[in-house]
């Protein structure tokens, strides 16, 4: 007898399949290979039970942006998820603003931090990652993406293009960190296509100096297709899959 999924799992499955279809179509339209852009499902504000539902639907990459909520959720999920295949172990990225005082806890659970834009934060994450490595809490350096500011708005975070090199060099000098690439959030004003063209140009120039920094985290629910056309290797999708934030967390 086939057992129907609970309503929330059915909802997530429908939304997830729709986003996967959009992503596949965007890659095809851009002439890119299938699977060349990862889907990071953003589960901030949503409970561990939703992460478990997504795991049952085949999702293995998640994005969180609030600590300590994220640390508690990751611990809860991993405590009862013990797959035989290491490839089935879920990974969690930090995509929100990092406070230096929370670097130690983030280094325990994050595969990668997408939002590094200050030397103080990079140094705190480096110390925290070194401690986590020494104490066996992680087995690999902490991945780092530098957040780029496309319009120079200090309220939205990020580095302007001229500031990327100095911080990238600091990260490359820390063996507890690994420079993986860049992250952008398109400004709210202007044409999205313009901003994504600028993103592609900046990332191409950045890779000339840092050839291993191949990752480009760009694109969310509303601009996924444009980001994929610009070369994004990771789209961060929350609302289109999870729905609106729970009222309790607003």
């Amino acid at each position: 007898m086939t057992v129907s999924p609970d309503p929330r799992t059915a909802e997530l499955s429908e939304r997830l399949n729709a986003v996967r279809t959009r992503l596949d179509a965007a890659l095809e339209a851009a002439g890119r290979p299938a699977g060349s852009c990862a889907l990071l499902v953003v589960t901030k504000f949503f409970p561990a039970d939703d992460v478990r539902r997504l795991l049952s639907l085949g999702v293995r990459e998640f994005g969180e942006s609030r600590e300590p909520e994220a640390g508690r959720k990751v611990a809860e999920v991993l405590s009862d998820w013990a797959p035989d295949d290491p490839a089935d172990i879920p990974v969690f990225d930090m995509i929100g603003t990092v406070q230096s005082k929370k670097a130690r806890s983030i280094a325990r659970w994050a595969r990668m931090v997408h939002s590094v834009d200050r030397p103080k934060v990079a140094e705190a994450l480096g110390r925290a990652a070194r401690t986590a490595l020494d104490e066996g809490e992680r087995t690999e350096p902490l991945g780092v993406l530098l957040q780029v500011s496309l319009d120079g708005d200090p309220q939205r975070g990020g580095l302007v293009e001229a500031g990327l090199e100095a911080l990238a060099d600091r990260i490359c000098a820390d063996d507890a960190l690994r420079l993986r690439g860049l992250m952008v959030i398109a400004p709210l004003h202007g044409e999205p296509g313009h901003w994504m063209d600028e993103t592609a140009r900046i990332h191409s120039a950045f890779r000339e100096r840092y050839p291993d920094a191949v990752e480009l985290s760009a694109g969310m629910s509303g601009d996924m297709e444009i980001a994929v056309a610009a070369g994004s290797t990771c789209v961060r999708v929350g609302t289109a899959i999870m729905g609106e934030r729970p009222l309790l967390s607003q």
Side-chain angles (χ1 to χ4, degrees):
M1 182 178 68
T2 302
V3 178
S4 299
D6 68 90
R8 177 59 171 163
T9 301
E11 176 192 4
L12 289 173
S13 178
E14 182 178 355
R15 288 173 169 271
L16 177 64
N17 287 337
V19 169
R20 284 172 166 165
T21 298
R22 282 180 61 191
L23 181 55
D24 289 344
L27 287 166
E28 183 176 4
R32 294 177 53 185
S36 60
C37 181
L39 173 60
L40 192 74
V41 181
V42 179
T43 47
K44 64 180 181 180
F45 299 114
F46 290 89
D49 281 346
D50 275 351
V51 178
R52 294 188 183 99
R53 290 182 174 99
L54 290 163
L55 285 169
S56 75
L57 297 171
V59 177
R60 295 295 182 269
E61 296 180 89
F62 300 91
E64 290 284 337
S65 68
R66 303 197 312 172
E67 181 61 29
E69 173 200 334
R72 290 194 296 262
K73 188 187 304 181
V74 172
E76 185 178 344
V77 169
L78 295 181
S79 69
D80 57 11
W81 183 263
D84 295 328
D85 185 349
D88 275 340
I89 297 174
V91 293
F92 297 83
D93 288 354
M94 177 65 173
I95 64 172
T97 301
V98 175
Q99 295 178 306
S100 297
K101 64 183 180 181
K102 296 181 179 178
R104 179 71 183 96
S105 52
I106 291 169
R108 292 188 176 102
W109 60 262
R111 170 186 63 170
M112 185 157 54
V113 178
H114 290 226
S115 47
V116 176
D117 63 356
R118 288 170 291 153
K120 181 180 178 182
V121 168
E123 290 162 9
L125 288 171
R127 290 192 299 270
R130 169 49 54 203
T131 299
L133 287 164
D134 290 345
E135 296 184 359
E137 295 170 321
R138 61 184 307 117
T139 59
E140 295 182 352
L142 177 64
V144 169
L145 300 180
L146 299 187
Q147 182 176 342
V148 181
S149 173
L150 295 173
D151 63 355
D153 183 352
Q155 299 301 315
R156 289 170 61 82
L159 290 157
V160 296
E161 183 177 7
L164 292 173
E165 184 177 320
L167 188 52
D169 287 344
R170 281 192 179 208
I171 289 164
C172 290
D174 190 332
D175 63 3
L177 302 176
R178 181 170 296 156
L179 182 65
R180 299 290 303 278
L182 302 177
M183 184 273 268
V184 299
I185 301 172
L188 299 177
H189 61 87
E191 289 295 325
H194 163 73
W195 294 124
M196 287 302 170
D197 287 345
E198 186 70 356
T199 294
R201 181 192 65 76
I202 292 171
H203 188 230
S204 177
F206 190 74
R207 284 193 61 192
E208 288 182 7
R209 181 170 177 84
Y210 308 97
D212 292 333
V214 298
E215 302 298 334
L216 177 59
S217 175
M220 298 185 284
S221 295
D223 59 359
M224 180 195 313
E225 288 80 4
I226 300 171
V228 168
S232 174
T233 63
C234 173
V235 291
R236 311 177 304 274
V237 179
T239 303
I241 294 173
M242 307 304 297
E244 296 300 321
R245 295 175 181 174
L247 290 177
L248 187 63
S249 298
Q250 291 183 339

